[in-house]
Amino acid sequence: MEEIVFQVEGDESGVLVSSWDSRGGGGITTEGEDLRELQERVTDAVRCHFDAGETPRRIRLHFVADPVLADV
């Protein structure tokens, strides 16, 4: 598999939740307090989900809504 795309949304508490649904059923869902933590958790979850040699070459995060970085 060349690439998988995670959908990323913020929940009501501000946590970033990412999910990927496998075509064959199942998938991966994880969350992080900020983007850096989310990236680490997604990477770890992908490594655990796929067998050796079958891990996608790229992981893309698609933000469902544009994030607000700061209210000025």
Side-chain angles (χ1 to χ4, degrees), residues 6-23:
F6 281 79
Q7 303 295 316
V8 180
E9 297 181 80
D11 72 3
E12 59 278 348
S13 66
V15 172
L16 294 171
V17 180
S18 65
S19 61
W20 167 75
D21 294 323
S22 173
R23 290 182 184 171

Side-chain angles (χ1 to χ4, degrees), residues 2 8-10 15-16 24-25 34 38-39 42 46 48-50 52 54 56-57 59-61 63-65:
E2 184 70 19
V8 180
E9 297 181 80
V15 172
L16 294 171
D34 56 32
L38 182 67
Q39 289 173 319
V42 166
V46 169
C48 292
H49 183 82
F50 290 94
E54 295 182 10
R57 291 174 38 110
I59 303 167
R60 185 179 306 270
L61 300 178
F63 289 85
V64 177

Side-chain angles (χ1 to χ4, degrees), residues 1 3-4 21 27-29 31 34-35 39-40 46-47 70:
M1 182 179 299
E3 175 180 274
I4 62 174
D21 294 323
I28 300 170
T29 300
E31 61 184 40
D34 56 32
L35 183 56
Q39 289 173 319
E40 291 172 0
V46 169
R47 280 194 210 119

